[in-house]
Amino acid sequence: MMYPEMRLRRLRRTAALRAMARETRLHPAQFIAPAFVVPGSGIRQPIEAMPGVDRVSVDRLVEDAKALAGLGVGGLLLFGLPPTKDAVGSGAWAEDGPVPTALRALKQADTGLVLFADVCMCEYTDHGHCGVIEGGHVSNDATLPLLARTAVAYAQAGADVVAPSDMMDGRVAAIREALDENALADTPILAYAAKYASAFYGPFREAAGSTPQFGDRRGYQMDPSNVREAMREIELDLNEGADAIMVKPALSYLDVIRAARERTEAPLAAYNVSGEYSMVKAAAAAGMLDEPRVVLEILTSIRRAGADWILTYHAADAARWLAEGRIA
Ligand code: PBG
């Protein structure tokens, strides 16, 4: 059948028909809001490059978590800013560090949010790299036990899911083994499987104080040009025991999300990263874009590409707009 018998506009005529024909829906239960935790109390410091996102102390974080849960947001992803840094990043696993302290407080507050803890060394090392430096390079194998130790500390403090973002080879297996040995066999791993060496992380590095002091991350994060390699990363991480996998960033990598979706049945997350957020906020502040519509369109495109979960700094706003019945 063809035009004039076939007319695709028929199902677009009214809002009710369009709602019936809609193929992709956003639900805040699949949003995960990142948060930056600092030591102390009563602290809420705005992050200049990310309007609307703050660094917060644990007491303020608990308030934010309650608000997110009230909006129906599914999860919270914690990043910590430690009081001091050293060469090996020992602040990452310190029991009284910002992330374990926050996890214990959030558990006690019982918000119902799924608590994800990002596992990486870069916020905790004085050189800003995601692992231990040996001979001027990030040593893969020397970093694995530190990541495993950190993941165990977070799971013991109350993380529902640990999420390694370091891109060392073999880290999922090392973390799985350490969790299992410590009676944490029920703690899932969300692996940042296909994480690219991206300039879109710029604002995050300001937020987390994790800019490398020399060189860059191209020796461990992926080349933006590659998609077949992403499939190998995903396969390796799943074979090592990852329960869910991630593609990061999201917006310039929708093809990678689609390819991953077609390759695996495992839950697939996509990280709508800091630079993607900052671009929208800057354009909206300049009056160049309709922020709610653009944000919902971006999140819809990430879901349409095949992601189940979306890590996004827009989580609370998007949940609010969806509750108002807004669509992309
Ligand atoms: C830590 C980490 C980074 C991000 C998440 N985990 C920074 C990096 O790899 O440099 C970026 C998140 C964002 O940009 O929103 N390794």
Side-chain angles (χ1 to χ4, degrees):
M1 201 161 353
M2 289 179 58
Y3 171 83
E5 291 79 17
M6 181 58 86
R7 293 175 184 268
L8 294 184
R9 285 186 55 188
R10 284 180 194 129
L11 291 177
R12 295 179 202 147
R13 202 168 45 82
T14 68
L17 279 168
R18 289 192 294 273
M20 279 287 170
R22 189 156 301 131
E23 299 173 29
T24 307
R25 283 196 155 72
L26 293 172
H27 199 288
Q30 290 182 306
F31 296 162
I32 300 164
F36 299 98
V37 196
V38 295
S41 68
I43 298 170
R44 181 177 290 286
Q45 307 168 336
I47 299 161
E48 221 172 294
M50 302 174 71
V53 182
D54 305 318
R55 296 188 201 90
V56 290
S57 52
V58 170
D59 52 328
R60 294 287 184 266
L61 176 69
V62 170
E63 292 169 9
D64 291 356
K66 287 179 181 161
L68 286 165
L71 290 165
V73 170
L76 190 63
L77 172 69
L78 296 185
F79 294 98
L81 286 94
T84 57
K85 306 188 186 216
D86 62 25
V88 296
S90 62
W93 60 80
E95 234 175 272
D96 59 353
V99 170
T101 307
L103 286 165
R104 286 189 297 269
L106 288 164
K107 268 288 139 188
Q108 186 148 24
D110 195 20
T111 61
L113 292 173
V114 179
L115 303 178
F116 294 78
D118 184 271
V119 176
C120 194
M121 312 314 292
C122 64
E123 296 114 85
Y124 303 93
T125 52
D126 48 19
H127 45 73
H129 277 288
C130 301
V132 185
I133 305 293
E134 279 176 6
H137 292 280
V138 176
S139 165
N140 192 87
D141 297 4
T143 302
L144 298 183
L146 310 186
L147 294 166
R149 184 170 179 181
T150 303
V152 168
Y154 295 168
Q156 282 172 341
D160 296 306
V161 183
V162 291
S165 65
D166 52 281
M167 290 302 278
M168 300 301 121
D169 286 318
R171 92 279 209 202
V172 174
I175 289 171
R176 183 73 271 156
E177 191 184 331
L179 290 171
D180 291 358
E181 276 170 4
N182 285 277
L184 295 162
D186 288 333
T187 302
I189 300 172
L190 164 61
Y192 285 68
K195 178 175 177 179
Y196 289 87
S198 172
F200 286 101
Y201 307 152
F204 173 97
R205 291 181 190 169
E206 177 214 317
S210 63
T211 307
Q213 297 305 300
F214 64 90
D216 55 38
R217 303 212 203 291
R218 291 179 201 268
Y220 40 104
Q221 298 180 349
M222 281 184 55
D223 185 325
S225 312
N226 296 354
V227 63
R228 297 197 309 265
E229 187 186 354
M231 300 304 107
R232 300 183 74 195
E233 282 285 2
I234 286 167
E235 193 181 327
L236 275 173
D237 282 1
L238 288 170
N239 286 340
E240 288 180 27
D243 298 278
I245 49 155
M246 193 197 296
V247 172
K248 176 187 172 189
L251 214 40
S252 292
Y253 299 83
L254 294 173
D255 58 324
V256 183
I257 297 173
R258 169 51 43 195
R261 176 73 298 155
E262 284 167 9
R263 197 62 74 97
T264 172
E265 309 300 326
L268 174 60
Y271 201 141
N272 176 214
V273 300
S274 56
E276 301 173 17
Y277 174 85
S278 298
M279 288 195 301
V280 172
K281 296 301 278 192
M288 293 173 179
L289 288 176
D290 175 341
E291 183 180 347
R293 287 195 57 196
V294 164
V295 168
L296 294 175
E297 186 172 335
I298 287 172
L299 298 177
T300 298
S301 72
I302 295 169
R303 285 277 295 137
R304 193 190 62 234
D308 299 305
W309 308 341
I310 306 177
L311 298 106
T312 179
Y313 302 96
H314 298 291
D317 287 338
R320 224 173 277 122
W321 295 325
L322 290 171
E324 290 167 4
R326 300 192 64 141
I327 52 169

